[in-house]
Amino acid sequence: MRAAVWYGQQDTRLVDVPEPPAPGRGEVKIKVAWVGVCGTDLHEYAAGPIFMPIEPHPLTGKCAPLIQGHEFSGIIEAVGPDIDRFKPGDRITADSATWCGECWACQRREYSLCDKCAFLGLGRDGVFAEYVTMPADGVYQIPPELSLEKASFCEPTAVAIHALRKGRMLPGDSVLVIGAGNQGLLTWQILKHSPAHKVFVAARKGMRADLARQLGAEVLDPTEIDVPAEVKKRTGGDGVDLTIETAGQPETVAMALKATRKMGRVVEVGIFEKPAQLELNDLVFNEIELIGILNNGGEFPQAIQMLADGRVDPTPMISNRISLEDVVEKGFKECIVNKRSNVKVLVNCNSDLRD
């Protein structure tokens, strides 16, 4: 079968690889439909290894070269001998995490924080491929009203839900979302249906900011105004209660700390390609909480429901739909070179699965 395999920094190749075997105990084999090109995929391509194991992974024993990709939908092709909650033909999406089930985090169902967590495409072979075999524990059926295309957004939508949950967003809170990429726009759509009092989106002039406005967001452009000063002006001089930082740049984290009120919360969603320097006195002097999140926290049932009932509609965010054959050139390279002209590129891995 065809697959996009990471061999090293800026070296992902579309190659022929063996089709994964029939599923064993606790596993399902999936025919992959749509896969989203995620910022994590781009970070690994441009600056990896970050998550990518170059030594055998402690849970899977796998290491690069590995198939990339983790945000996806598909159809069950076959089930293992002990699986009774899935059958061939079921429409599904899946958590990107595979966990040990034994460590401190797993005992508390915080599977993304498993000591040995192996993410799809970052610890085990991923889904930029025609088929994948994986543990059934993280697989979820999708309802008939949710298309396979929209279902490929379940994982990043779950990340957005997890970020807001970790940030303890309360009715009446004011919220700043920094970044209008895929993660920022999904977060905005969830907040649009929340009891938040005021929500701002910080984004530079361009296609992403324009899209945020089309989706109803109040956009603040940091190239035109002092965002923290403007936020404080519009919140009675205090700053926002909660900031969700999705851009993953030192300057945007600094913006988040300055725009957040005393004893407020900043949730860091972005992934950094290299160490970042911060003015931690902004954190200390104002007793601000800086909260990191990794992955989606298992918020899949909520994400599936919000996508199925239309509260989150990712369709306007799709910049391009491409075939698996084009994933390196029109997916990875195009998204890096023309980052501000793309929000989400979807890759179709089997041309007969496009609904």
Side-chain angles (χ1 to χ4, degrees), residues 60-337:
T60 65
K62 303 288 187 180
C63 63
L66 284 176
I67 300 169
Q68 288 190 261
H70 60 276
E71 300 178 0
F72 82 110
S73 63
I75 303 287
I76 297 288
E77 180 81 3
V79 301
D82 58 338
I83 300 296
D84 56 12
R85 64 188 183 97
F86 295 111
K87 64 183 185 302
D90 284 348
R91 302 162 70 253
I92 59 88
T93 186
D95 197 327
S96 56
T98 305
W99 49 86
C100 73
E102 300 174 353
C103 68
W104 180 92
C106 284
Q107 292 300 307
R108 289 154 183 79
R109 296 181 176 270
E110 299 289 351
Y111 299 125
S112 297
L113 300 177
C114 168
D115 288 346
K116 299 179 180 178
C117 190
F119 296 107
L120 281 172
L122 298 164
R124 62 183 309 121
D125 279 321
V127 290
F128 282 128
E130 295 175 59
Y131 294 92
V132 64
T133 295
M134 62 179 293
D137 287 345
V139 178
Y140 295 84
Q141 290 198 36
I142 57 174
E145 62 269 27
L146 182 57
S147 70
L148 288 170
E149 183 177 278
K150 289 183 180 180
S152 66
F153 284 83
C154 285
E155 201 273 347
T157 302
V159 171
I161 293 169
H162 187 48
L164 290 168
R165 192 185 298 279
K166 291 287 286 186
R168 307 190 305 280
M169 201 276 295
L170 298 172
D173 274 355
S174 54
V175 185
L176 171 64
V177 179
I178 297 180
N182 181 66
Q183 210 58 60
L185 292 174
L186 289 171
T187 304
W188 155 248
Q189 290 199 52
I190 296 167
L191 284 166
K192 185 166 61 171
H193 297 282
S194 79
H197 174 51
K198 292 181 180 179
V199 180
F200 311 100
V201 174
R204 293 182 180 182
K205 183 182 301 181
M207 183 271 284
R208 293 182 172 192
D210 292 343
L211 179 55
R213 289 188 182 93
Q214 291 171 25
L215 292 171
E218 184 171 5
V219 178
L220 307 177
D221 185 345
T223 66
E224 295 182 347
I225 60 172
D226 182 330
V227 170
E230 185 68 17
V231 164
K232 289 183 178 181
K233 177 182 175 182
R234 299 193 190 193
T235 54
D238 296 327
V240 292
D241 301 290
L242 171 64
T243 298
I244 307 294
E245 202 295 297
T246 72
Q249 300 295 326
E251 59 269 26
T252 53
V253 180
M255 181 193 301
L257 293 174
K258 290 183 180 299
T260 303
R261 67 160 169 80
K262 291 177 173 63
M263 300 183 74
R265 292 93 61 203
V266 175
V267 179
E268 182 55 49
V269 181
I271 298 294
F272 294 78
E273 294 182 355
K274 55 187 177 182
Q277 289 188 327
L278 300 176
E279 179 48 78
L280 291 179
N281 282 339
D282 288 335
L283 186 81
V284 174
F285 291 172
N286 295 295
E287 293 194 12
I288 292 171
E289 294 180 60
L290 180 58
I291 304 165
I293 70 159
L294 177 64
N295 206 34
N296 57 67
E299 310 278 3
F300 267 77
Q302 299 89 331
I304 291 169
Q305 185 58 55
M306 295 191 84
L307 286 158
D309 66 24
R311 280 176 289 175
V312 173
D313 180 9
T315 306
M317 298 157 48
I318 301 171
S319 309
N320 199 4
R321 298 168 177 85
I322 63 176
S323 72
L324 181 59
E325 292 295 318
D326 293 325
V327 64
V328 177
E329 293 298 324
K330 295 184 180 180
F332 294 173
K333 293 181 180 180
E334 173 65 19
C335 286
I336 291 171
V337 173

